[in-house]
Amino acid sequence: QVQLVESGGGLVQPGGSLRLSCAASGSIVSINSMGWYRQAPGKQRELVAVITRGDITDYADSVKGRFTISRDSANAKNTQYMQMNSLKPEDTAVYYCTASILRAGVSNYVAYWGQGTQVTVSS
């Protein structure tokens, strides 16, 4: 089995910062791309940021210059992070991490998801 466990969400004032973490564990052979999505109340889930195995990154236009995605795959840590700066009320959402993972005994990569962590930006 594979699990993605997120941490780091919470309540922050506008202009503040938060750092989300997502650790993948289990019978992992390899991780391809990793990323973060978010879903605000009444809205569809949207892609926020993605990072490839070669550390190429891409961001939604709404977060460019404010959010930074990174990953640490050394020593089987299999963890990704998202540093969120200059947060705005419109960043309020449940944030989900995802990763494309090759599991032991399986021949193809499968997308796994975290349980979600709430980020609320409010004064």
Side-chain angles (χ1 to χ4, degrees), residues 5-6 11 23 32 40 47 55 66-67 70 76 78-79 81 84 92 96 100-101 108 114 120:
V5 179
E6 302 158 355
L11 173 64
N32 199 352
L47 177 65
D55 290 337
R66 300 188 297 121
F67 290 12
S70 60
N78 297 324
T79 302
Y81 308 93
M84 305 186 295
T92 296
Y96 299 90
S100 179
I101 294 174
N108 56 295
T120 302

Side-chain angles (χ1 to χ4, degrees), residues 1-4 24-29 99 101-104 110 112-113:
Q1 290 290 345
V2 170
Q3 277 191 318
L4 271 62
S25 62
S27 54
I28 295 171
V29 173
I101 294 174
L102 180 65
R103 187 164 60 91
V110 174
Y112 290 87
W113 292 84

Side-chain angles (χ1 to χ4, degrees), residues 34-50:
M34 307 178 85
W36 294 89
Y37 283 71
R38 67 185 180 186
Q39 188 166 20
K43 294 187 177 182
Q44 288 189 330
R45 189 174 296 191
E46 63 174 354
L47 177 65
V48 178
V50 63

